[in-house]
Amino acid sequence: MDLQSPDGIARGQGRDVESAPDDGAVPVPEGPSTVGEPVKKEKPLGSRAPRFVKSSRALHLGWQVGVFLVGLVVVVAGVIMLPLPGPGWLVIFAGMAIWGTEFVWAQLVLRWTKRKVSDFAQRALDPRVRRRNIILTSVGLVICAVLLSIYLWKFGIAMPWSIDD
């Protein structure tokens, strides 16, 4: 982890951090984080296959084909669930996670997705954005209530079937 002073000059390079004088250096996180949140180190990219699988090229290739096929089945099931009842996006991301155990491109897509989701979550927690969302939701509910009351005033509650039969 690099140490950086408030003026942007890197400090602590080539010397022991504990013995370094207190010169205002602070740990610099590698991505967006909040105050007080520990800095997380990302896992290295690449295959997470067991060592005995990696020892043989043919076995590793077979492992990759198996992981790809299992991930493909899960992703296709998630795509099918998008218009049908079921957790489509959750299943798609589960398939991407399966692919991410073996393929670097899937690991990069998952890292990008995690960053975007955390950025959107931070943005949604912003008080101005929350206030705007609450105001827009309230205005939308008022408009729906007015339109519903106009409809009921004009047409009343009419059932499409006859109850008297």
Side-chain angles (χ1 to χ4, degrees), residues 17-49:
V17 176
E18 277 76 17
S19 65
D22 186 18
D23 54 1
V26 294
V28 177
E30 308 229 344
S33 67
T34 59
V35 176
E37 181 180 320
V39 178
K40 298 175 186 170
K41 189 165 188 166
E42 291 183 336
K43 294 178 186 174
L45 296 174
S47 175
R48 290 181 177 77

Side-chain angles (χ1 to χ4, degrees), residues 10 33 47 65 102 118 144 151:
S33 67
S47 175
V65 168
E102 196 58 36
S118 65
C144 287
Y151 178 83

Side-chain angles (χ1 to χ4, degrees), residues 14-154:
R15 54 182 193 197
D16 189 15
V17 176
E18 277 76 17
S19 65
D22 186 18
D23 54 1
V26 294
V28 177
E30 308 229 344
S33 67
T34 59
V35 176
E37 181 180 320
V39 178
K40 298 175 186 170
K41 189 165 188 166
E42 291 183 336
K43 294 178 186 174
L45 296 174
S47 175
R48 290 181 177 77
R51 191 171 292 137
F52 75 91
V53 171
K54 290 181 184 179
S55 64
S56 168
R57 178 70 183 140
L59 189 58
H60 193 222
L61 185 62
W63 179 273
Q64 285 181 328
V65 168
V67 167
F68 180 79
L69 290 176
V70 169
L72 182 66
V73 167
V74 173
V75 168
V76 167
V79 169
I80 290 171
M81 285 185 207
L82 286 175
L84 300 176
W89 284 109
L90 185 65
V91 174
I92 289 172
F93 288 126
M96 288 297 296
I98 291 170
W99 279 339
T101 63
E102 196 58 36
F103 303 107
V104 173
W105 60 268
Q107 293 168 3
L108 293 173
V109 168
L110 287 172
R111 282 185 184 177
W112 178 83
T113 304
K114 286 178 187 176
R115 274 197 313 271
K116 290 298 178 185
V117 166
S118 65
D119 289 347
F120 287 134
Q122 288 298 323
R123 212 174 314 157
L125 294 176
D126 181 24
R128 290 179 295 163
V129 174
R130 290 188 69 206
R131 194 175 317 118
R132 183 200 66 199
N133 289 345
I134 289 172
I135 290 170
L136 288 175
T137 302
S138 300
V139 168
L141 287 174
V142 167
I143 290 172
C144 287
V146 167
L147 291 175
L148 181 65
S149 62
I150 290 172
Y151 178 83
L152 290 176
W153 172 69
K154 188 155 183 117

